[in-house]
Structure formats: C-alpha cells, structure tokens
Amino acid sequence: VWLISAATQLYRAQIEGVMQRVRLCLGAVFGGVGLSLLAVAATVVNPLLRDTVIGPPLFDSLMIAYLLPALVLGGAAWKFTHIDRRVRIGIAGASVALVALYVGLEIRRLWQGPDLSMPGVEDGELYTYTIMMLLCGSGLLLMAYFRRSTMLRKAGIATIGLTIAKVFLLDMAGLEGLIRALSFLALGLVLAGLALLNRFITLRLEGPPSTRAR
C-alpha cells in the first residue's frame, strides 16, 4: 500500500505547478516507509528465520511479501522516466533484489516444504539454485545483445562468475570419482558456450572494425 501510494504521487508529479514539489516529497516519504517495511520483511521476519510459508507453491505468502512489491517497483522504474535516473536505477535494483529473494525462497520451499527454517540444504536444492543462476546470467547476456547494453553484459558476466564460484566451492565439494569428472566436463561445455555468446555480444556492442576505425 505504501509503495502504491508513492507510485501514485510520483506519477502525478509529472503535472507541473505548485503541487509538484509536494507530490515529490510525499512520494519520497511514502516510498521510504514502504522500503523500510520491505527491509524488515526481508530480514527480521524472513521465513528463513522464524515463520512458515502459507498457501500453495508460487502463489503463497512469499509472492505477496516479495514478488508483488517487486513488480510495483519494477513498473515504477520502467515507466517513470520523468524522475532522476539515479533514483530509477536504485528502484530497479531493489526490484531485482526482491525478485531474486522470492525465487530463492520459492526454490527452498519446493524442496523443504512450508517450513523454510529447517537446517541444511539438499543436493537438489543446491543444483536448482545453480541452474537458475545460469539461466539468469544467460538471459542478461541475451538482453544485452538485443538492447546493445554494456551494463547488462557486465551484469550477466558477474552473475555467471558468481555461479562458477558457487559450483566450485559448494556444488562439487561432495562429488567424487566419475560423477565429479562428468560434472566438470558438463560445466566446461556450458562455460565454453557462454564464452562464445559473450564474445559475440561484445563484437555486436563494439560494432564492426570499419565502424570502430571511424
């Protein structure tokens, strides 16, 4: 409710006049309260620490707590081109963080059940995180290709780098023998494909040699 109220005030702030500054101030206050409550929801009352999840998978209390506010923030960052660019980037960052939190908690809920505070992580849960991180990194690289965005390409590379670190430090720590060798082979093939994709995107962003020479 606080985020929707903030979005309403920021949208109406497009109208120039005496009330424009008032609406911007109200939007900042409402948004600050909403983000503060979201921070509490993501930390102090996070289901990982204390509560169980209510409702069916995907359409549950996690969706209400994290995904819906993320959609409100994402819509504001996308549509409100009249506000400062740095503010839009911050709003977009908060939206992405909430979506990542929602996806991570939903994966754990699918493997662990509604009580997310149970200790330990199953192998299937661990590998599911890795697959989602690879898909996210690949998606960012594809978006960078179609939108010709250097920032998205760097974000994709950073995501893939974190995925590689996770695989070596966590996923493969308990594997032995042939399974470990096959896992390394599969990971190498995936990384080779992503490296080719990154090279292709880099060439597209830089343009052909004749264009760069000019």
Side-chain angles (χ1 to χ4, degrees):
V1 173
W2 285 104
L3 293 177
I4 292 175
S5 300
T8 302
Q9 295 298 327
L10 292 177
Y11 178 78
R12 296 180 65 191
Q14 297 179 83
I15 304 174
E16 297 182 357
V18 179
M19 294 298 295
Q20 186 180 45
R21 291 187 177 181
V22 176
R23 289 164 180 155
L24 288 173
C25 291
L26 288 175
V29 172
F30 294 160
V33 174
L35 291 175
S36 299
L37 293 175
L38 277 178
V40 173
T43 54
V44 179
V45 295
N46 192 306
L48 283 174
L49 303 177
R50 50 188 299 171
D51 294 324
T52 57
V53 179
I54 302 172
L58 301 182
F59 301 98
D60 49 22
S61 54
L62 295 176
M63 182 189 72
I64 297 174
Y66 305 117
L67 183 60
L68 293 184
L71 294 178
V72 174
L73 292 172
W78 178 34
K79 288 294 186 179
F80 293 175
T81 56
H82 60 286
I83 62 178
D84 189 87
R85 181 174 179 271
R86 292 169 295 182
V87 176
R88 293 177 62 201
I89 292 175
I91 294 174
S95 175
V96 171
L98 285 173
V99 171
L101 179 61
Y102 167 74
V103 173
L105 293 177
E106 282 291 353
I107 291 174
R108 183 165 179 81
R109 191 261 167 90
L110 292 174
W111 285 97
Q112 300 284 354
D115 187 1
L116 304 186
S117 62
M118 296 291 291
V121 180
E122 297 184 6
D123 290 340
E125 179 185 348
L126 202 62
Y127 301 149
T128 304
Y129 292 136
T130 301
I131 293 172
M132 292 302 298
M133 292 174 69
L134 280 175
L135 291 176
C136 180
S138 303
L140 287 171
L141 289 178
L142 289 175
M143 289 176 62
Y145 172 76
F146 289 111
R147 301 189 63 178
R148 303 180 68 90
S149 172
T150 302
M151 184 174 66
L152 287 176
R153 182 179 68 86
K154 292 179 179 178
I157 294 174
T159 302
I160 293 172
L162 289 174
T163 306
I164 296 171
K166 176 183 177 297
V167 168
F168 279 101
L169 296 176
L170 298 176
D171 295 9
M172 295 186 178
L175 300 180
E176 297 180 355
L178 182 61
I179 297 179
R180 185 180 180 89
L182 292 176
S183 299
F184 272 109
L185 177 61
L187 178 62
L189 293 175
V190 172
L191 294 179
L194 291 174
L196 290 175
L197 177 61
N198 178 56
R199 177 63 178 168
F200 183 71
I201 293 172
T202 303
L203 291 175
R204 174 179 171 82
L205 292 176
E206 293 178 352
S210 57
T211 303
R212 295 198 302 267
R214 298 194 192 113

